[in-house]
Amino acid sequence: MTFEDIPTVPRSEELIDKAFSRAARAGRAKSGIEAQQSMLVTASNIVSDNLQNVTTSWPDFDAVDPFYYELADALVDGGVDSLKQQLSTVMWTGRKAADIRSEYQSRLRGDPDTARKIRKQAFARLADLTNNVEDELLALGDAREQLKELPDIRPDQPTIVIAGYPNVGKSTFVNHVTNANNEIASYPFTTTQIHVGHIERNHITYQLIDTPGLLDRPADERNDIESQAVSALSHCADCILVFVDGSETCGYQRDVQLALRDEIADRFSGVPVLTVASKADLDGAIDAPLRCSATENEGVTELLDAAIDATDYEIELPYETNA
């Protein structure tokens, strides 16, 4: 996953304490001017390396898949542009710490007392420099905590998105067809959960995504962040199944369910949107070519076949065979 391996971001106070405590140990191992030089190099290296590692551990947002780019842009305060600016500031600060090391190393000459005073000046500048990026480090730490919880959705896999009002049978279907492979991941935009399951056909893994809280109500009932998350889904959806419970035991009238279906088809233009008559074993089911009752195992195979055909996915071969 794109963000799950980002390491913990240190606070400025923690980084200063780490740098100076290790510098003190390094200084005790030597004496005179050499002790001051060792302390300077140790402290500045720790500050410089840690700050630069903070930035290099993040993915390059210019190369991130559009799906995850839009999710990050929706979730993080200020969006991706703010994140990039924070990372740039921290990187610059790390390089500046290395410059301080180079500047003061050449000045650590003469008697040990003078060298100690000069080294303390360098430490003061390193502390000020690190404290100046406290806000950026806190912001990056918060962003990291949010982004690492994003669901493991892989845009490179053929993806079938399941939509429809609550209680129309979406999760039952996903759980039924994916069996033990089903995963439930917390989605940090709201209390929403994304259900991700996988099936395999002809050595191809298809990803099934149930989207409670996102595609289970009209657009005017979604907040801005949820709307942007829906936009992100457009980058990975190869087919959308809209479940409609004609029996209305879900608590929603057929007309409003079909209106949501029409809105989804509008929003995801260019993506095949298939209407599924769910709970087909109950009275009142709508008339639709695709009928399914996962609880009764009716129409499940036919529905999967239709969804897989609609994705129109073909494995890209590394070379073309000669006819």
Side-chain angles (χ1 to χ4, degrees), residues 219-230:
D220 59 6
E221 295 181 20
R222 302 180 197 127
N223 62 40
D224 290 343
I225 292 177
E226 290 172 321
S227 294
Q228 195 161 347
V230 170

Side-chain angles (χ1 to χ4, degrees), residues 38 143 188 268:
S38 181
F268 290 82

Side-chain angles (χ1 to χ4, degrees), residues 9-26:
V9 180
R11 298 189 58 172
S12 59
E13 184 179 350
E14 296 170 345
L15 184 51
I16 292 169
D17 287 346
K18 177 182 177 181
F20 290 174
S21 62
R22 291 194 183 178
R25 290 200 298 271

Side-chain angles (χ1 to χ4, degrees), residues 3 23 37 51 65 75 88 98 111 124 146 164 187 229 306-307:
F3 302 107
Q37 290 174 334
L51 290 179
D65 188 279
L75 179 59
S88 176
D111 63 276
Q146 292 172 305
Y187 207 47

Side-chain angles (χ1 to χ4, degrees), residues 109-123:
R109 303 182 184 280
D111 63 276
D113 286 340
T114 301
R116 184 179 300 108
K117 291 177 182 178
I118 293 173
R119 188 266 304 161
K120 286 183 176 180
Q121 290 176 9
F123 272 25

Side-chain angles (χ1 to χ4, degrees), residues 31-304:
S31 60
I33 293 177
E34 282 191 0
Q36 304 307 314
Q37 290 174 334
S38 181
M39 291 175 71
L40 170 65
V41 170
T42 300
S44 59
N45 281 352
I46 288 174
V47 171
S48 177
D49 291 349
N50 276 265
L51 290 179
Q52 293 190 68
N53 286 342
V54 165
T55 60
T56 56
S57 66
W58 283 72
D60 178 3
F61 281 99
D62 292 330
V64 165
D65 188 279
F67 171 74
Y68 279 114
Y69 185 101
E70 288 203 25
L71 290 187
D73 199 45
L75 179 59
V76 175
D77 288 342
V80 169
D81 285 345
S82 178
L83 259 180
K84 290 166 76 172
Q85 182 58 52
Q86 291 155 3
L87 290 167
S88 176
T89 300
V90 172
M91 175 61 83
W92 178 89
T93 303
R95 291 170 178 164
K96 195 66 179 174
D99 292 342
I100 289 174
R101 178 192 60 217
S102 299
E103 175 186 344
Y104 279 86
Q105 265 188 307
S106 62
R107 295 173 57 187
L108 289 178
R109 303 182 184 280
D111 63 276
D113 286 340
T114 301
R116 184 179 300 108
K117 291 177 182 178
I118 293 173
R119 188 266 304 161
K120 286 183 176 180
Q121 290 176 9
F123 272 25
R125 286 185 61 187
L126 287 171
D128 287 343
L129 194 67
T130 308
N131 281 324
N132 285 342
V133 290
E134 171 70 359
D135 289 345
E136 284 80 4
L137 293 174
L138 286 174
L140 290 171
D142 289 344
R144 181 245 182 198
E145 290 303 307
Q146 292 172 305
L147 294 176
K148 74 175 186 178
E149 297 300 331
L150 285 174
D152 188 6
I153 296 173
R154 308 192 178 190
D156 58 329
Q157 286 185 349
T159 300
I160 301 165
V161 174
I162 318 296
Y165 270 89
N167 304 316
V168 295
K170 305 187 304 291
S171 296
T172 303
F173 170 73
V174 173
N175 289 335
H176 180 78
V177 299
T178 60
N179 297 320
N181 291 325
N182 188 42
E183 303 163 5
I184 299 176
S186 296
Y187 207 47
F189 293 111
T190 60
T191 55
T192 298
Q193 287 188 320
I194 290 291
H195 302 252
V196 183
H198 302 88
I199 59 172
E200 186 170 312
R201 286 285 184 87
N202 299 321
H203 308 293
I204 299 173
T205 299
Y206 292 84
Q207 192 168 230
L208 275 69
I209 302 175
D210 179 18
T211 57
L214 293 178
L215 292 179
D216 65 356
R217 59 186 185 277
D220 59 6
E221 295 181 20
R222 302 180 197 127
N223 62 40
D224 290 343
I225 292 177
E226 290 172 321
S227 294
Q228 195 161 347
V230 170
S231 178
L233 280 172
S234 67
H235 293 290
C236 64
D238 297 299
C239 171
I240 299 175
L241 302 180
V242 182
F243 278 51
V244 178
D245 173 14
S247 73
E248 299 182 353
T249 56
C250 63
Y252 298 92
Q253 295 180 346
R254 270 172 279 182
D255 289 348
V256 298
Q257 295 182 63
L258 291 169
L260 177 63
R261 184 273 315 273
D262 293 341
E263 179 192 301
I264 289 170
D266 231 23
R267 175 67 185 80
F268 290 82
S269 59
V271 177
V273 176
L274 308 181
T275 303
V276 179
S278 65
K279 302 183 184 179
D281 56 310
L282 301 181
D283 291 337
I286 66 168
D287 185 19
L290 296 173
R291 302 169 63 81
C292 176
S293 172
T295 56
E296 299 296 324
N297 198 29
E298 293 180 13
V300 173
T301 300
E302 292 80 2
L303 176 54
L304 282 177

